[in-house]
Amino acid sequence: MEHGTPTHTIDLFGLPIMFDLSTSLMIVITCLVVFFVLFFMTRKLAVRPTGKSQVLVEALVNFVKGMISSNMAWKQGGKFHFMAITLIAFIFVANIIGIPFTIILPDAEHTLWWKSPTADPTVTLTLAGLMIVLTHYYGVQARGLGNYVKSYFQPMWFMAPIKFIEEFTYNLTLGLRLYGNIYAGEILLLLLVSLITTGGVLGAVGGFIPLMVWQGFKLFISAIQAFIFVMLAMVYLSHKLSDDH
């Protein structure tokens, strides 16, 4: 079954820019979910936590701290701690928010409204591009513009084109890896839901168990992909901050 997505186009100085409304909506919902979940889990902080919510948040904080420390000295990487926590929380929620159900309007185009925003390559490539830009910014800040540019011509000057090409491949691999895994999971979920809703009794019986199994597996994949994205971002940052880049 073909599914359409609602779009809106604006004219910016003669250049048409199209927005995917369902993706935009899901990004806002994901941000709200992350904010309110973490807000309510940390509103009653204590030196000796008695509730499970603070323990879980502290576990996440320590887990992300370990990811950073495994790639760079904490003196350098400590300033990226909260950024990494925000990033891994956002990506994880964005990955799993399309798991429970899908909202498809009963119109001619079967418009799809509820989905994982990371199943859209625009979102994942934008996240990846943002991280690559930040690696360059902090690299220049840490080493100076002259030394940073000079590193692209070391150890031999003819290595520069290869290193410039690597910057584009970093963005593609970081963004497309996340997109591919989440998009494939979304497609299979839609197929299983279609089987249950249109396949009669046999379709409902035969599709329900695979649907439950796949939802559990997709939850695991979503966590792994959030971890990989943030880990690679920290690896790229450590390379830019070090003198042997």
Side-chain angles (χ1 to χ4, degrees), residues 47-98:
V47 177
R48 294 183 179 181
T50 56
K52 294 181 180 179
S53 59
Q54 183 177 338
V55 174
L56 290 175
V57 173
E58 289 182 357
L60 174 63
V61 169
N62 291 329
F63 177 73
V64 174
K65 182 178 180 180
M67 292 171 60
I68 298 173
S69 299
S70 65
N71 289 287
M72 66 190 89
W74 184 248
K75 184 178 180 180
Q76 281 185 318
K79 59 184 176 182
F80 307 122
H81 194 196
F82 288 107
M83 179 187 73
I85 292 173
T86 303
L87 191 62
I88 197 170
F90 173 82
I91 294 176
F92 176 67
V93 174
N95 290 347
I96 67 171
I97 202 167

Side-chain angles (χ1 to χ4, degrees), residues 125 127-130 132 166-176:
L125 288 174
L127 281 172
L130 176 62
I132 298 302
E166 281 183 348
E167 300 301 328
F168 293 99
T169 59
Y170 287 159
N171 185 49
L172 290 176
T173 55
L174 191 61
L176 292 181

Side-chain angles (χ1 to χ4, degrees), residues 225-242:
Q225 289 304 313
F227 166 78
I228 291 175
F229 190 99
V230 177
M231 177 61 80
L232 288 178
M234 294 302 105
V235 170
Y236 296 156
L237 272 171
S238 68
H239 288 171
K240 299 299 185 183
L241 295 175
S242 63

Side-chain angles (χ1 to χ4, degrees), residues 176-237:
L176 292 181
R177 178 188 292 107
L178 177 60
Y179 159 70
N181 283 275
I182 304 305
Y183 178 74
E186 294 281 300
I187 291 297
L188 187 51
L189 282 177
L190 286 173
L191 291 175
L192 290 172
V193 170
S194 298
L195 175 64
I196 293 174
T197 56
T198 63
V201 177
L202 291 178
V205 174
F208 180 76
I209 294 179
L211 178 64
M212 295 297 103
V213 173
W214 184 250
Q215 285 181 328
F217 182 70
K218 189 174 183 295
L219 183 65
F220 172 74
I221 293 297
S222 297
I224 292 297
Q225 289 304 313
F227 166 78
I228 291 175
F229 190 99
V230 177
M231 177 61 80
L232 288 178
M234 294 302 105
V235 170
Y236 296 156
L237 272 171

